[in-house]
Amino acid sequence: IDRQKGQRCIRDSKNPHQDLESSYTDTIIRASVNKSQLLYESGKEAMKNNKHSEALECFNKALKATPQKVEALLYKGILLMDTNNETEAIAVLRLVLNKKLELAKPASLLVAIAYRRRNEIDQAVEILNDILKRDHNYLEALVSRGNLFIAQEKWAEGKKDFGRGIRISTQSAAAHLGVAVCEKQLKNYNEAILAYDKALLADPSLPLNIYYKKAKLELKLM
């Protein structure tokens, strides 16, 4: 019995050191995560106040404390876009593209916009192709890709994407407008007028030039 107690005591004597080491490691990790979160929140607040340099410093420090802080990467990318640094923004936001979907989706739109600003439309389309493979019903990506097809004068492809967008949401004014533009270029004027009507019905606050474009088409048919 004494021998069994002794063996149990030897075994138990190892646990406090292991537990202490584990507890210390957990404390360090928690402290790093908490510091990263505070820096991240400070960076967002600085962004709101247009303090770009301060915000960038906060996001960089947050990522240094916790490299896997994907939200900080996303906001850093947005900040770089706001300051017209598309090249660095693309490099940062691409790191988010293979992460969880709710963050990859806005990151993909931002990367596509950055490529569009650089007139690299094929690369922008490729980014949207990839995110649509992960979420076939991502309305904003379909509308964005449709607009890129318009920029390439690929009217049929654009119309197809906008049509898919409308099937997802009949209240998408942007998708209806896209259809109107494509139908007009395809010389389907009646369909274009109908699409303009649907866009204005979905969002009556659309700019006045939309009414003007619709009126011009109606006159064309007279």
Side-chain angles (χ1 to χ4, degrees):
I1 295 174
D2 290 339
R3 189 183 305 112
Q4 290 175 347
K5 287 182 178 179
Q7 289 174 346
R8 187 167 61 249
C9 287
I10 291 170
R11 285 197 302 271
D12 291 345
S13 68
K14 295 179 182 178
N15 291 333
H17 175 69
Q18 292 173 344
D19 291 344
L20 183 61
E21 184 177 342
S22 177
S23 176
Y24 178 73
T25 302
D26 290 344
T27 301
I28 293 296
I29 292 172
R30 280 196 301 271
S32 179
V33 169
N34 290 339
K35 179 183 178 183
S36 178
Q37 183 65 26
L38 287 171
L39 287 164
Y40 165 65
E41 296 295 341
S42 297
K44 288 201 297 180
E45 189 63 30
M47 269 186 76
K48 288 180 185 177
N49 296 317
N50 293 318
K51 297 178 180 178
H52 295 146
S53 296
E54 181 181 330
L56 184 59
E57 184 180 358
C58 286
F59 293 139
N60 284 336
K61 287 181 177 178
L63 289 164
K64 185 176 181 179
T66 310
Q68 64 270 28
K69 185 73 176 174
V70 182
E71 293 86 351
L73 275 174
L74 180 60
Y75 270 86
K76 180 180 177 181
I78 294 170
L79 178 60
L80 292 166
M81 291 284 290
D82 287 346
T83 53
N84 298 315
N85 192 343
E86 284 81 16
T87 300
E88 192 173 349
I90 289 170
V92 169
L93 290 166
R94 273 187 168 277
L95 299 174
V96 185
L97 296 183
N98 63 343
K99 305 299 181 182
K100 50 188 177 181
L101 189 58
E102 62 266 30
L103 295 177
K105 287 165 71 172
S108 68
L109 291 182
L110 289 166
V111 173
I113 291 169
Y115 277 127
R116 180 67 181 91
R117 286 181 184 177
R118 290 166 36 160
N119 204 33
E120 297 176 12
I121 298 178
D122 288 338
Q123 289 88 334
V125 169
E126 184 180 336
I127 291 294
L128 296 174
N129 288 344
D130 289 341
I131 198 66
L132 283 165
K133 289 175 184 176
R134 296 179 65 184
D135 184 352
H136 302 290
N137 295 320
Y138 187 19
L139 175 60
E140 289 80 0
L142 283 167
V143 170
S144 295
R145 191 172 68 178
N147 283 320
L148 291 171
F149 285 140
I150 285 177
Q152 294 177 316
E153 299 185 0
K154 295 179 178 179
W155 315 118
E157 290 91 333
K159 177 184 170 182
K160 183 177 179 181
D161 269 358
F162 294 127
R164 284 177 60 188
I166 291 167
R167 287 194 291 276
I168 294 166
S169 172
T170 58
Q171 294 303 304
S172 174
H176 286 298
L177 279 178
V179 169
V181 171
C182 293
E183 293 287 23
K184 177 186 173 183
Q185 294 297 328
L186 293 167
K187 301 189 184 307
N188 300 324
Y189 299 126
N190 284 317
E191 289 83 352
I193 290 169
L194 180 61
Y196 276 128
D197 280 335
K198 290 179 178 179
L200 292 165
L201 185 64
D203 185 2
S205 67
L206 286 169
L208 288 175
N209 71 316
I210 302 302
Y211 292 87
Y212 173 66
K213 290 178 179 179
K214 175 177 175 282
K216 282 181 67 178
L217 280 179
E218 288 172 333
L219 288 171
K220 197 178 187 75
L221 294 178
M222 288 182 179

